[in-house]
PDB file of all heavy atoms in Angstrom:
ATOM      1  N   ALA A 450      -7.085 -15.676   6.318  1.00  0.00           N
ATOM      2  CA  ALA A 450      -7.891 -15.614   5.093  1.00  0.00           C
ATOM      3  C   ALA A 450      -7.291 -14.609   4.117  1.00  0.00           C
ATOM      4  O   ALA A 450      -7.031 -13.467   4.485  1.00  0.00           O
ATOM      5  CB  ALA A 450      -9.329 -15.228   5.425  1.00  0.00           C
ATOM      6  N   PRO A 451      -7.081 -15.028   2.878  1.00  0.00           N
ATOM      7  CA  PRO A 451      -6.502 -14.091   1.899  1.00  0.00           C
ATOM      8  C   PRO A 451      -7.509 -13.018   1.495  1.00  0.00           C
ATOM      9  O   PRO A 451      -8.719 -13.244   1.534  1.00  0.00           O
ATOM     10  CB  PRO A 451      -6.172 -14.991   0.708  1.00  0.00           C
ATOM     11  CG  PRO A 451      -7.104 -16.141   0.826  1.00  0.00           C
ATOM     12  CD  PRO A 451      -7.345 -16.339   2.291  1.00  0.00           C
ATOM     13  N   PRO A 452      -7.011 -11.849   1.099  1.00  0.00           N
ATOM     14  CA  PRO A 452      -7.922 -10.814   0.597  1.00  0.00           C
ATOM     15  C   PRO A 452      -8.547 -11.272  -0.716  1.00  0.00           C
ATOM     16  O   PRO A 452      -7.963 -12.089  -1.442  1.00  0.00           O
ATOM     17  CB  PRO A 452      -7.033  -9.604   0.371  1.00  0.00           C
ATOM     18  CG  PRO A 452      -5.647 -10.026   0.605  1.00  0.00           C
ATOM     19  CD  PRO A 452      -5.635 -11.423   1.099  1.00  0.00           C
ATOM     20  N   ARG A 453      -9.715 -10.744  -0.998  1.00  0.00           N
ATOM     21  CA  ARG A 453     -10.404 -11.075  -2.245  1.00  0.00           C
ATOM     22  C   ARG A 453     -10.586  -9.813  -3.075  1.00  0.00           C
ATOM     23  O   ARG A 453     -10.913  -8.761  -2.540  1.00  0.00           O
ATOM     24  CB  ARG A 453     -11.784 -11.673  -1.962  1.00  0.00           C
ATOM     25  CG  ARG A 453     -11.731 -12.997  -1.251  1.00  0.00           C
ATOM     26  CD  ARG A 453     -13.115 -13.589  -1.037  1.00  0.00           C
ATOM     27  NE  ARG A 453     -14.000 -12.657  -0.371  1.00  0.00           N
ATOM     28  CZ  ARG A 453     -15.254 -12.398  -0.763  1.00  0.00           C
ATOM     29  NH1 ARG A 453     -15.767 -13.003  -1.800  1.00  0.00           N
ATOM     30  NH2 ARG A 453     -15.996 -11.526  -0.098  1.00  0.00           N
ATOM     31  N   VAL A 454     -10.387  -9.968  -4.366  1.00  0.00           N
ATOM     32  CA  VAL A 454     -10.675  -8.884  -5.301  1.00  0.00           C
ATOM     33  C   VAL A 454     -12.127  -9.054  -5.712  1.00  0.00           C
ATOM     34  O   VAL A 454     -12.501 -10.070  -6.280  1.00  0.00           O
ATOM     35  CB  VAL A 454      -9.747  -8.933  -6.537  1.00  0.00           C
ATOM     36  CG1 VAL A 454     -10.138  -7.869  -7.544  1.00  0.00           C
ATOM     37  CG2 VAL A 454      -8.300  -8.791  -6.117  1.00  0.00           C
ATOM     38  N   VAL A 455     -12.940  -8.068  -5.366  1.00  0.00           N
ATOM     39  CA  VAL A 455     -14.364  -8.131  -5.652  1.00  0.00           C
ATOM     40  C   VAL A 455     -14.688  -7.083  -6.704  1.00  0.00           C
ATOM     41  O   VAL A 455     -14.384  -5.907  -6.530  1.00  0.00           O
ATOM     42  CB  VAL A 455     -15.197  -7.849  -4.373  1.00  0.00           C
ATOM     43  CG1 VAL A 455     -16.678  -7.871  -4.682  1.00  0.00           C
ATOM     44  CG2 VAL A 455     -14.849  -8.854  -3.288  1.00  0.00           C
ATOM     45  N   SER A 456     -15.270  -7.553  -7.788  1.00  0.00           N
ATOM     46  CA  SER A 456     -15.749  -6.594  -8.782  1.00  0.00           C
ATOM     47  C   SER A 456     -17.263  -6.548  -8.647  1.00  0.00           C
ATOM     48  O   SER A 456     -17.877  -7.435  -8.081  1.00  0.00           O
ATOM     49  CB  SER A 456     -15.341  -7.028 -10.189  1.00  0.00           C
ATOM     50  OG  SER A 456     -15.872  -8.302 -10.465  1.00  0.00           O
ATOM     51  N   GLY A 457     -17.837  -5.510  -9.119  1.00  0.00           N
ATOM     52  CA  GLY A 457     -19.277  -5.424  -8.999  1.00  0.00           C
ATOM     53  C   GLY A 457     -19.782  -4.025  -9.211  1.00  0.00           C
ATOM     54  O   GLY A 457     -19.204  -3.239  -9.963  1.00  0.00           O
ATOM     55  N   ASP A 458     -20.821  -3.707  -8.515  1.00  0.00           N
ATOM     56  CA  ASP A 458     -21.532  -2.452  -8.665  1.00  0.00           C
ATOM     57  C   ASP A 458     -20.638  -1.262  -8.334  1.00  0.00           C
ATOM     58  O   ASP A 458     -20.237  -1.073  -7.190  1.00  0.00           O
ATOM     59  CB  ASP A 458     -22.751  -2.479  -7.745  1.00  0.00           C
ATOM     60  CG  ASP A 458     -23.612  -1.249  -7.871  1.00  0.00           C
ATOM     61  OD1 ASP A 458     -23.289  -0.371  -8.701  1.00  0.00           O
ATOM     62  OD2 ASP A 458     -24.611  -1.164  -7.142  1.00  0.00           O
ATOM     63  N   PRO A 459     -20.314  -0.424  -9.314  1.00  0.00           N
ATOM     64  CA  PRO A 459     -19.467   0.744  -9.052  1.00  0.00           C
ATOM     65  C   PRO A 459     -20.131   1.785  -8.147  1.00  0.00           C
ATOM     66  O   PRO A 459     -19.467   2.681  -7.647  1.00  0.00           O
ATOM     67  CB  PRO A 459     -19.180   1.321 -10.434  1.00  0.00           C
ATOM     68  CG  PRO A 459     -20.197   0.736 -11.331  1.00  0.00           C
ATOM     69  CD  PRO A 459     -20.671  -0.545 -10.720  1.00  0.00           C
ATOM     70  N   ALA A 460     -21.432   1.652  -7.920  1.00  0.00           N
ATOM     71  CA  ALA A 460     -22.131   2.586  -7.037  1.00  0.00           C
ATOM     72  C   ALA A 460     -21.945   2.234  -5.563  1.00  0.00           C
ATOM     73  O   ALA A 460     -22.262   3.045  -4.695  1.00  0.00           O
ATOM     74  CB  ALA A 460     -23.621   2.608  -7.375  1.00  0.00           C
ATOM     75  N   ARG A 461     -21.415   1.049  -5.272  1.00  0.00           N
ATOM     76  CA  ARG A 461     -21.168   0.671  -3.876  1.00  0.00           C
ATOM     77  C   ARG A 461     -20.148   1.610  -3.265  1.00  0.00           C
ATOM     78  O   ARG A 461     -19.153   1.968  -3.893  1.00  0.00           O
ATOM     79  CB  ARG A 461     -20.612  -0.760  -3.799  1.00  0.00           C
ATOM     80  CG  ARG A 461     -21.643  -1.818  -4.067  1.00  0.00           C
ATOM     81  CD  ARG A 461     -21.064  -3.202  -4.025  1.00  0.00           C
ATOM     82  NE  ARG A 461     -20.329  -3.436  -2.775  1.00  0.00           N
ATOM     83  CZ  ARG A 461     -19.627  -4.520  -2.547  1.00  0.00           C
ATOM     84  NH1 ARG A 461     -19.544  -5.463  -3.449  1.00  0.00           N
ATOM     85  NH2 ARG A 461     -18.997  -4.676  -1.411  1.00  0.00           N
ATOM     86  N   LEU A 462     -20.380   1.989  -2.038  1.00  0.00           N
ATOM     87  CA  LEU A 462     -19.461   2.889  -1.352  1.00  0.00           C
ATOM     88  C   LEU A 462     -18.227   2.165  -0.839  1.00  0.00           C
ATOM     89  O   LEU A 462     -17.184   2.763  -0.642  1.00  0.00           O
ATOM     90  CB  LEU A 462     -20.166   3.584  -0.186  1.00  0.00           C
ATOM     91  CG  LEU A 462     -21.276   4.549  -0.585  1.00  0.00           C
ATOM     92  CD1 LEU A 462     -21.947   5.114   0.659  1.00  0.00           C
ATOM     93  CD2 LEU A 462     -20.723   5.658  -1.454  1.00  0.00           C
ATOM     94  N   ARG A 463     -18.331   0.868  -0.575  1.00  0.00           N
ATOM     95  CA  ARG A 463     -17.215   0.111  -0.004  1.00  0.00           C
ATOM     96  C   ARG A 463     -17.112  -1.230  -0.711  1.00  0.00           C
ATOM     97  O   ARG A 463     -17.997  -1.633  -1.426  1.00  0.00           O
ATOM     98  CB  ARG A 463     -17.459  -0.100   1.482  1.00  0.00           C
ATOM     99  CG  ARG A 463     -17.534   1.221   2.224  1.00  0.00           C
ATOM    100  CD  ARG A 463     -17.372   1.122   3.703  1.00  0.00           C
ATOM    101  NE  ARG A 463     -16.527   0.042   4.137  1.00  0.00           N
ATOM    102  CZ  ARG A 463     -15.352   0.180   4.736  1.00  0.00           C
ATOM    103  NH1 ARG A 463     -14.883   1.379   4.952  1.00  0.00           N
ATOM    104  NH2 ARG A 463     -14.662  -0.842   5.136  1.00  0.00           N
ATOM    105  N   GLY A 464     -15.993  -1.898  -0.481  1.00  0.00           N
ATOM    106  CA  GLY A 464     -15.857  -3.259  -0.979  1.00  0.00           C
ATOM    107  C   GLY A 464     -15.026  -3.419  -2.230  1.00  0.00           C
ATOM    108  O   GLY A 464     -14.900  -4.527  -2.743  1.00  0.00           O
TER     109      GLY A 464
END
Side-chain angles (χ1 to χ4, degrees):
R453 295 182 306 133
V454 175
V455 178
S456 59
D458 183 2
R461 286 178 53 187
L462 294 177
R463 298 197 31 114

